[in-house]
Amino acid sequence: MSEVKYSEDRPKDCRYCYFWSGKKKGCDLGGEENCYYRIRPEETPYSECDGCPYRQEPKCVSLCMKKILKDWKEKR
């Protein structure tokens, strides 16, 4: 698993954060998993071209052929 990263403007201690509600309540956001300053990696969307050996930008050959064959079968 990757290391958790935080933005540079994160306070050194949670008690200086805007979302801190004191020792008894703690963080309003629910802890470090939901920290406002946490940087989450961007998820790449799934593509039908993932894993294709003929992949080229913007589309791969097999995906284009797949669409052509699908359209051809629907017309029949």
Coordinates of all heavy atoms in Angstrom, one line a residue:
M1 N 0.8 -1.2 0.0 CA 0.0 0.0 0.0 C 0.9 1.2 0.0 O 2.0 1.3 0.5 CB -0.9 0.0 1.2 CG -2.2 0.6 1.0 SD -3.3 -0.1 2.3 CE -4.3 1.3 2.5
S2 N 0.4 2.3 -0.6 CA 1.2 3.5 -0.7 C 1.2 4.4 0.6 O 0.2 4.2 1.4 CB 0.8 4.3 -1.9 OG -0.5 4.7 -1.7
E3 N 2.1 5.2 0.7 CA 2.2 6.1 1.8 C 1.1 7.2 1.7 O 0.9 7.7 0.6 CB 3.6 6.7 1.9 CG 3.8 7.6 3.1 CD 5.2 8.2 3.1 OE1 6.1 7.6 2.5 OE2 5.4 9.3 3.6
V4 N 0.5 7.6 2.9 CA -0.5 8.6 2.9 C 0.2 10.0 2.7 O 1.2 10.3 3.4 CB -1.3 8.6 4.2 CG1 -2.2 9.8 4.3 CG2 -2.0 7.3 4.4
K5 N -0.2 10.8 1.8 CA 0.4 12.1 1.6 C -0.6 13.2 2.0 O -1.8 13.1 1.7 CB 0.8 12.3 0.1 CG 1.9 11.3 -0.3 CD 2.3 11.5 -1.7 CE 3.4 10.5 -2.1 NZ 3.8 10.6 -3.4
Y6 N -0.1 14.3 2.5 CA -0.9 15.4 2.9 C -0.4 16.7 2.2 O 0.7 16.8 1.8 CB -0.8 15.7 4.4 CG -1.4 14.5 5.2 CD1 -0.6 13.5 5.7 CD2 -2.8 14.5 5.4 CE1 -1.2 12.5 6.5 CE2 -3.4 13.4 6.2 CZ -2.5 12.4 6.7 OH -3.1 11.4 7.4
S7 N -1.3 17.7 2.0 CA -0.9 18.9 1.4 C 0.0 19.7 2.3 O 0.1 19.5 3.5 CB -2.1 19.8 1.0 OG -2.8 20.2 2.2
E8 N 0.8 20.6 1.7 CA 1.8 21.4 2.4 C 1.2 22.3 3.5 O 1.9 22.6 4.4 CB 2.6 22.2 1.4 CG 3.5 21.3 0.5 CD 4.3 22.1 -0.4 OE1 4.5 23.4 -0.2 OE2 4.8 21.6 -1.4
D9 N 0.0 22.8 3.3 CA -0.6 23.7 4.2 C -1.3 23.1 5.4 O -2.0 23.7 6.2 CB -1.6 24.7 3.5 CG -2.7 24.0 2.8 OD1 -2.6 22.7 2.6 OD2 -3.7 24.6 2.5
R10 N -1.1 21.8 5.6 CA -1.7 21.0 6.7 C -1.1 21.5 8.0 O 0.2 21.6 8.1 CB -1.5 19.5 6.5 CG -2.0 18.7 7.7 CD -1.8 17.3 7.5 NE -2.3 16.5 8.6 CZ -1.8 15.5 9.1 NH1 -0.6 15.0 8.7 NH2 -2.3 14.8 10.1
P11 N -1.9 21.8 9.0 CA -1.3 22.1 10.3 C -0.4 21.0 10.9 O -0.7 19.8 10.7 CB -2.5 22.4 11.2 CG -3.6 22.5 10.3 CD -3.3 21.8 9.1
K12 N 0.6 21.3 11.7 CA 1.5 20.3 12.3 C 0.7 19.4 13.3 O 1.0 18.2 13.5 CB 2.7 20.9 13.0 CG 3.6 21.7 12.0 CD 4.3 20.7 11.2 CE 5.3 21.5 10.3 NZ 5.8 20.7 9.2
D13 N -0.3 20.0 13.9 CA -1.1 19.3 14.9 C -2.6 19.5 14.6 O -3.0 20.5 14.2 CB -0.8 19.8 16.3 CG -1.3 19.0 17.4 OD1 -2.1 18.1 17.2 OD2 -0.8 19.1 18.6
C14 N -3.3 18.4 14.8 CA -4.8 18.5 14.5 C -5.5 19.5 15.3 O -6.5 20.0 14.8 CB -5.4 17.1 14.6 SG -4.9 15.9 13.4
R15 N -5.1 19.8 16.5 CA -5.8 20.8 17.3 C -5.8 22.2 16.7 O -6.6 23.1 17.1 CB -5.3 20.8 18.7 CG -3.9 21.2 18.9 CD -3.5 21.1 20.3 NE -2.1 21.3 20.4 CZ -1.3 21.1 21.4 NH1 -1.9 20.7 22.5 NH2 0.0 21.3 21.4
Y16 N -4.9 22.5 15.7 CA -4.9 23.8 15.0 C -5.7 23.8 13.7 O -5.8 24.8 13.0 CB -3.4 24.2 14.7 CG -2.6 24.3 16.0 CD1 -1.6 23.4 16.2 CD2 -2.9 25.2 16.9 CE1 -0.8 23.5 17.3 CE2 -2.1 25.3 18.1 CZ -1.1 24.4 18.3 OH -0.3 24.5 19.4
C17 N -6.3 22.6 13.4 CA -7.1 22.5 12.2 C -8.5 23.1 12.4 O -9.1 23.1 13.5 CB -7.3 21.0 11.8 SG -8.3 20.7 10.4
Y18 N -9.1 23.6 11.4 CA -10.5 24.2 11.4 C -11.5 23.2 11.9 O -12.5 23.5 12.5 CB -10.8 24.8 10.1 CG -12.2 25.3 10.0 CD1 -12.6 26.5 10.5 CD2 -13.2 24.6 9.3 CE1 -13.9 27.0 10.4 CE2 -14.5 25.0 9.3 CZ -14.8 26.3 9.8 OH -16.1 26.7 9.7
F19 N -11.3 21.9 11.5 CA -12.3 20.9 11.7 C -12.1 20.2 13.1 O -12.9 19.3 13.4 CB -12.2 19.8 10.6 CG -12.5 20.4 9.3 CD1 -11.5 20.7 8.4 CD2 -13.8 20.7 8.9 CE1 -11.8 21.2 7.1 CE2 -14.1 21.2 7.7 CZ -13.1 21.5 6.8
W20 N -11.2 20.6 13.9 CA -11.0 20.1 15.2 C -12.0 20.6 16.2 O -12.1 21.8 16.4 CB -9.5 20.3 15.7 CG -9.2 19.7 17.0 CD1 -9.0 20.3 18.2 CD2 -8.9 18.3 17.2 NE1 -8.7 19.4 19.1 CE2 -8.6 18.1 18.5 CE3 -8.9 17.2 16.3 CZ2 -8.3 16.9 19.1 CZ3 -8.6 15.9 16.9 CH2 -8.3 15.8 18.2
S21 N -12.6 19.8 17.0 CA -13.7 20.2 17.9 C -13.3 19.9 19.4 O -14.2 19.8 20.2 CB -15.0 19.5 17.6 OG -15.5 19.9 16.4
G22 N -12.1 19.7 19.6 CA -11.6 19.5 21.0 C -11.3 18.1 21.3 O -11.5 17.2 20.5
K23 N -10.7 17.8 22.5 CA -10.3 16.5 22.9 C -11.4 15.5 22.9 O -11.3 14.4 22.5 CB -9.6 16.5 24.2 CG -8.2 17.1 24.2 CD -7.5 16.9 25.6 CE -6.1 17.4 25.5 NZ -5.5 17.3 26.9
K24 N -12.5 15.9 23.4 CA -13.6 14.9 23.6 C -14.3 14.6 22.3 O -14.6 13.4 22.0 CB -14.7 15.5 24.5 CG -14.2 15.6 26.0 CD -15.3 16.1 26.9 CE -14.8 16.1 28.3 NZ -15.8 16.6 29.2
K25 N -14.5 15.5 21.4 CA -15.2 15.3 20.1 C -14.2 14.8 19.1 O -14.5 14.0 18.2 CB -15.9 16.5 19.6 CG -17.3 16.7 20.2 CD -17.9 17.8 19.5 CE -19.4 17.6 19.5 NZ -20.1 18.7 18.7
G26 N -13.0 15.4 19.0 CA -12.0 15.1 18.0 C -12.3 15.8 16.7 O -12.9 16.9 16.7
C27 N -12.0 15.1 15.6 CA -12.1 15.7 14.3 C -13.6 15.6 13.8 O -14.2 14.5 13.9 CB -11.2 15.0 13.3 SG -11.3 15.7 11.7
D28 N -14.1 16.7 13.3 CA -15.5 16.7 12.7 C -15.6 15.8 11.5 O -16.7 15.3 11.2 CB -16.0 18.1 12.4 CG -16.2 18.9 13.6 OD1 -16.4 18.4 14.7 OD2 -16.1 20.2 13.5
L29 N -14.5 15.6 10.8 CA -14.5 14.8 9.5 C -14.4 13.3 9.8 O -14.6 12.5 8.8 CB -13.4 15.3 8.6 CG -13.5 16.7 8.2 CD1 -12.3 17.1 7.3 CD2 -14.8 17.0 7.5
G30 N -14.1 12.9 11.0 CA -14.1 11.5 11.3 C -12.7 10.8 11.3 O -12.6 9.6 11.1
G31 N -11.7 11.6 11.5 CA -10.4 11.0 11.6 C -9.5 11.2 10.4 O -9.8 12.0 9.5
E32 N -8.3 10.5 10.4 CA -7.3 10.7 9.4 C -7.7 10.2 8.0 O -7.2 10.6 7.0 CB -6.0 10.1 9.9 CG -5.4 10.9 11.1 CD -3.9 10.6 11.2 OE1 -3.3 10.2 10.3 OE2 -3.4 11.0 12.3
E33 N -8.6 9.2 8.0 CA -9.1 8.7 6.7 C -9.8 9.7 5.9 O -9.7 9.7 4.7 CB -10.0 7.5 6.9 CG -9.2 6.3 7.3 CD -10.2 5.1 7.4 OE1 -11.3 5.2 7.0 OE2 -9.7 4.0 7.9
N34 N -10.5 10.6 6.6 CA -11.3 11.7 5.9 C -10.7 13.1 6.0 O -11.4 14.1 5.8 CB -12.7 11.7 6.4 CG -13.4 10.4 6.2 OD1 -13.3 9.7 5.2 ND2 -14.2 9.9 7.2
C35 N -9.4 13.1 6.3 CA -8.7 14.4 6.6 C -8.9 15.3 5.3 O -8.7 14.9 4.2 CB -7.3 14.2 6.9 SG -6.4 15.7 7.3
Y36 N -9.2 16.6 5.6 CA -9.4 17.6 4.5 C -8.1 17.8 3.8 O -8.1 18.0 2.6 CB -9.8 18.9 5.2 CG -9.9 20.0 4.2 CD1 -11.0 20.1 3.3 CD2 -8.9 21.0 4.1 CE1 -11.1 21.2 2.4 CE2 -9.0 22.0 3.2 CZ -10.1 22.1 2.4 OH -10.2 23.2 1.5
Y37 N -6.9 17.6 4.4 CA -5.6 17.9 3.8 C -5.0 16.7 3.2 O -3.9 16.8 2.6 CB -4.7 18.5 4.9 CG -5.1 19.8 5.5 CD1 -5.8 19.8 6.7 CD2 -4.9 21.0 4.8 CE1 -6.2 21.0 7.2 CE2 -5.4 22.2 5.3 CZ -6.0 22.2 6.5 OH -6.4 23.4 7.0
R38 N -5.7 15.6 3.2 CA -5.1 14.3 2.6 C -5.2 14.4 1.1 O -6.2 14.7 0.5 CB -5.9 13.1 3.1 CG -5.3 11.8 2.7 CD -6.1 10.7 3.4 NE -5.5 9.4 2.9 CZ -5.9 8.2 3.3 NH1 -6.9 8.2 4.2 NH2 -5.4 7.2 2.8
I39 N -4.1 14.0 0.5 CA -4.1 14.0 -1.0 C -4.4 12.6 -1.5 O -3.6 11.6 -1.1 CB -2.7 14.5 -1.5 CG1 -2.4 15.9 -1.1 CG2 -2.6 14.3 -3.0 CD1 -1.0 16.4 -1.4
R40 N -5.4 12.4 -2.2 CA -5.8 11.1 -2.7 C -5.4 10.9 -4.2 O -5.6 11.9 -4.9 CB -7.3 10.9 -2.6 CG -7.7 10.7 -1.1 CD -9.2 10.8 -1.0 NE -9.6 10.7 0.4 CZ -9.6 11.6 1.3 NH1 -9.1 12.8 1.0 NH2 -10.0 11.4 2.6
P41 N -4.8 9.8 -4.5 CA -4.4 9.6 -5.9 C -5.6 9.6 -6.8 O -6.6 9.0 -6.4 CB -3.6 8.3 -5.9 CG -4.1 7.6 -4.7 CD -4.5 8.6 -3.7
E42 N -5.4 10.2 -8.0 CA -6.5 10.2 -9.0 C -6.7 8.8 -9.6 O -5.7 8.1 -9.9 CB -6.2 11.2 -10.1 CG -6.2 12.6 -9.6 CD -6.0 13.6 -10.7 OE1 -6.3 13.2 -11.9 OE2 -5.6 14.7 -10.4
E43 N -7.9 8.3 -9.6 CA -8.2 7.0 -10.2 C -8.3 7.2 -11.7 O -9.0 8.0 -12.2 CB -9.4 6.4 -9.6 CG -9.3 6.1 -8.1 CD -10.5 5.5 -7.5 OE1 -11.4 5.1 -8.3 OE2 -10.7 5.5 -6.3
T44 N -7.7 6.3 -12.4 CA -7.8 6.3 -13.9 C -9.1 5.5 -14.3 O -9.3 4.4 -13.7 CB -6.6 5.7 -14.6 OG1 -6.4 4.4 -14.1 CG2 -5.3 6.5 -14.3
P45 N -9.9 6.0 -15.2 CA -11.1 5.3 -15.6 C -10.7 4.1 -16.4 O -9.7 4.0 -17.0 CB -11.8 6.3 -16.5 CG -10.8 7.3 -16.9 CD -9.7 7.3 -15.8
Y46 N -11.6 3.1 -16.3 CA -11.4 1.8 -17.0 C -11.6 2.0 -18.5 O -12.5 2.7 -18.9 CB -12.4 0.7 -16.4 CG -12.3 -0.5 -17.3 CD1 -11.3 -1.4 -17.1 CD2 -13.3 -0.8 -18.2 CE1 -11.2 -2.6 -17.9 CE2 -13.3 -2.0 -18.9 CZ -12.2 -2.8 -18.8 OH -12.2 -4.0 -19.5
S47 N -10.8 1.4 -19.2 CA -10.9 1.5 -20.7 C -10.9 0.1 -21.3 O -10.3 -0.8 -20.7 CB -9.7 2.3 -21.3 OG -9.7 2.2 -22.7
E48 N -11.6 -0.1 -22.3 CA -11.7 -1.4 -23.0 C -10.3 -1.7 -23.6 O -10.0 -2.9 -24.0 CB -12.7 -1.5 -24.0 CG -14.1 -1.5 -23.4 CD -15.2 -1.6 -24.5 OE1 -15.1 -2.5 -25.3 OE2 -16.1 -0.8 -24.5
C49 N -9.5 -0.7 -23.8 CA -8.1 -0.9 -24.4 C -7.1 -1.3 -23.4 O -6.0 -1.6 -23.7 CB -7.7 0.4 -25.0 SG -8.6 0.9 -26.5
D50 N -7.4 -1.4 -22.1 CA -6.5 -1.8 -21.0 C -6.0 -3.2 -21.3 O -6.8 -4.1 -21.4 CB -7.1 -1.7 -19.6 CG -7.3 -0.2 -19.2 OD1 -6.7 0.7 -19.9 OD2 -8.0 0.0 -18.2
G51 N -4.7 -3.4 -21.4 CA -4.2 -4.7 -21.6 C -4.1 -5.1 -23.1 O -3.7 -6.2 -23.4
C52 N -4.5 -4.3 -24.0 CA -4.5 -4.6 -25.4 C -3.1 -4.5 -26.0 O -2.4 -3.4 -25.8 CB -5.5 -3.7 -26.2 SG -5.5 -3.9 -27.9
P53 N -2.5 -5.5 -26.7 CA -1.2 -5.4 -27.2 C -1.1 -4.4 -28.4 O 0.0 -4.0 -28.7 CB -0.9 -6.8 -27.6 CG -2.2 -7.5 -27.9 CD -3.1 -6.8 -26.9
Y54 N -2.2 -4.1 -29.0 CA -2.2 -3.2 -30.2 C -2.7 -1.8 -29.8 O -3.1 -1.0 -30.6 CB -3.2 -3.7 -31.2 CG -2.8 -5.1 -31.7 CD1 -3.5 -6.2 -31.3 CD2 -1.7 -5.3 -32.5 CE1 -3.2 -7.4 -31.7 CE2 -1.3 -6.5 -32.9 CZ -2.1 -7.6 -32.5 OH -1.7 -8.9 -32.9
R55 N -2.6 -1.4 -28.5 CA -3.1 -0.2 -28.0 C -2.3 1.0 -28.6 O -1.1 1.0 -28.6 CB -3.0 -0.1 -26.5 CG -3.6 1.2 -26.0 CD -3.6 1.1 -24.5 NE -4.2 2.4 -24.0 CZ -4.6 2.6 -22.8 NH1 -4.4 1.7 -21.9 NH2 -5.1 3.8 -22.5
Q56 N -3.0 1.9 -29.1 CA -2.5 3.2 -29.6 C -3.4 4.3 -29.2 O -4.5 4.1 -28.9 CB -2.4 3.2 -31.2 CG -1.5 2.1 -31.7 CD -1.6 2.0 -33.3 OE1 -2.5 2.7 -33.9 NE2 -0.8 1.2 -33.9
E57 N -2.9 5.5 -29.2 CA -3.7 6.6 -28.8 C -4.3 7.2 -30.0 O -3.7 7.3 -31.1 CB -2.8 7.7 -28.1 CG -2.3 7.2 -26.8 CD -3.4 6.8 -25.8 OE1 -4.5 7.4 -25.8 OE2 -3.1 5.9 -25.0
P58 N -5.5 7.6 -30.1 CA -6.5 7.6 -29.0 C -7.3 6.3 -28.9 O -7.9 6.0 -27.9 CB -7.5 8.7 -29.3 CG -7.5 8.7 -30.8 CD -6.1 8.3 -31.2
K59 N -7.3 5.4 -29.9 CA -8.0 4.1 -29.8 C -7.1 3.0 -30.3 O -6.2 3.2 -31.0 CB -9.3 4.2 -30.6 CG -10.3 5.1 -30.1 CD -11.5 5.1 -31.0 CE -12.5 6.1 -30.5 NZ -13.7 6.1 -31.3
C60 N -7.4 1.8 -29.9 CA -6.7 0.6 -30.3 C -7.4 0.0 -31.5 O -8.6 0.2 -31.7 CB -6.4 -0.3 -29.2 SG -7.9 -1.2 -28.6
V61 N -6.7 -0.9 -32.2 CA -7.2 -1.5 -33.4 C -8.3 -2.5 -33.0 O -9.4 -2.5 -33.7 CB -6.1 -2.3 -34.2 CG1 -6.7 -3.1 -35.3 CG2 -5.0 -1.3 -34.6
S62 N -8.1 -3.3 -32.0 CA -9.1 -4.3 -31.6 C -10.4 -3.7 -31.2 O -11.5 -4.2 -31.4 CB -8.6 -5.2 -30.6 OG -8.3 -4.5 -29.4
L63 N -10.4 -2.5 -30.5 CA -11.6 -1.9 -30.1 C -12.4 -1.4 -31.3 O -13.6 -1.5 -31.3 CB -11.3 -0.7 -29.1 CG -12.6 0.0 -28.6 CD1 -13.4 -0.9 -27.7 CD2 -12.1 1.2 -27.7
C64 N -11.7 -0.8 -32.2 CA -12.4 -0.3 -33.4 C -13.0 -1.5 -34.2 O -14.1 -1.4 -34.6 CB -11.4 0.4 -34.3 SG -10.7 1.9 -33.6
M65 N -12.3 -2.6 -34.3 CA -12.8 -3.8 -35.0 C -14.0 -4.4 -34.2 O -15.0 -4.8 -34.8 CB -11.8 -4.9 -35.1 CG -10.7 -4.5 -36.2 SD -11.4 -4.1 -37.8 CE -12.1 -5.7 -38.2
K66 N -14.0 -4.3 -32.9 CA -15.1 -4.8 -32.1 C -16.3 -4.0 -32.3 O -17.4 -4.6 -32.5 CB -14.7 -4.7 -30.6 CG -15.6 -5.3 -29.6 CD -15.0 -5.2 -28.2 CE -15.9 -5.7 -27.2 NZ -15.4 -5.6 -25.8
K67 N -16.2 -2.7 -32.4 CA -17.4 -1.9 -32.7 C -17.9 -2.1 -34.1 O -19.1 -2.1 -34.3 CB -17.0 -0.4 -32.5 CG -16.8 -0.1 -31.1 CD -16.5 1.4 -30.9 CE -16.2 1.7 -29.4 NZ -15.8 3.1 -29.2
I68 N -17.0 -2.3 -35.1 CA -17.4 -2.5 -36.5 C -18.2 -3.8 -36.6 O -19.3 -3.9 -37.2 CB -16.2 -2.5 -37.4 CG1 -15.7 -1.0 -37.5 CG2 -16.6 -3.0 -38.8 CD1 -14.3 -1.0 -38.2
L69 N -17.7 -4.9 -36.0 CA -18.3 -6.2 -36.0 C -19.7 -6.1 -35.3 O -20.7 -6.7 -35.7 CB -17.5 -7.2 -35.4 CG -16.2 -7.6 -36.3 CD1 -15.3 -8.6 -35.5 CD2 -16.7 -8.2 -37.6
K70 N -19.8 -5.4 -34.2 CA -21.0 -5.3 -33.4 C -22.1 -4.6 -34.3 O -23.2 -5.1 -34.4 CB -20.8 -4.6 -32.1 CG -22.0 -4.5 -31.3 CD -21.7 -3.7 -30.0 CE -23.0 -3.5 -29.2 NZ -22.8 -2.7 -28.0
D71 N -21.7 -3.5 -34.9 CA -22.6 -2.8 -35.8 C -23.0 -3.6 -37.0 O -24.2 -3.6 -37.4 CB -22.0 -1.5 -36.3 CG -21.8 -0.5 -35.2 OD1 -22.5 -0.6 -34.2 OD2 -21.0 0.5 -35.4
W72 N -22.1 -4.4 -37.5 CA -22.4 -5.2 -38.7 C -23.4 -6.3 -38.3 O -24.3 -6.6 -39.1 CB -21.1 -5.8 -39.2 CG -21.3 -6.7 -40.4 CD1 -21.6 -6.3 -41.7 CD2 -21.1 -8.1 -40.4 NE1 -21.7 -7.4 -42.5 CE2 -21.4 -8.5 -41.8 CE3 -20.8 -9.1 -39.5 CZ2 -21.3 -9.9 -42.1 CZ3 -20.7 -10.4 -39.9 CH2 -21.0 -10.8 -41.2
K73 N -23.2 -7.0 -37.1 CA -24.1 -8.0 -36.7 C -25.5 -7.5 -36.4 O -26.5 -8.2 -36.6 CB -23.6 -8.7 -35.4 CG -22.4 -9.6 -35.7 CD -21.9 -10.2 -34.5 CE -20.7 -11.1 -34.8 NZ -20.1 -11.7 -33.5
E74 N -25.6 -6.3 -35.9 CA -26.9 -5.7 -35.5 C -27.7 -5.3 -36.8 O -28.9 -5.4 -36.8 CB -26.7 -4.4 -34.7 CG -26.3 -4.7 -33.3 CD -26.0 -3.4 -32.5 OE1 -26.1 -2.3 -33.1 OE2 -25.7 -3.5 -31.3
K75 N -27.0 -5.0 -37.9 CA -27.7 -4.7 -39.2 C -28.2 -5.9 -39.8 O -29.2 -5.8 -40.6 CB -26.7 -3.9 -40.1 CG -26.4 -2.5 -39.6 CD -25.5 -1.8 -40.6 CE -25.1 -0.4 -40.0 NZ -24.2 0.2 -40.9
R76 N -27.6 -7.1 -39.6 CA -28.1 -8.3 -40.2 C -29.3 -8.8 -39.7 O -30.1 -8.9 -39.0 CB -27.0 -9.4 -40.1 CG -25.8 -9.0 -40.9 CD -24.8 -10.1 -40.8 NE -24.9 -11.0 -41.9 CZ -24.5 -12.2 -42.0 NH1 -23.9 -12.7 -41.0 NH2 -24.7 -12.9 -43.0

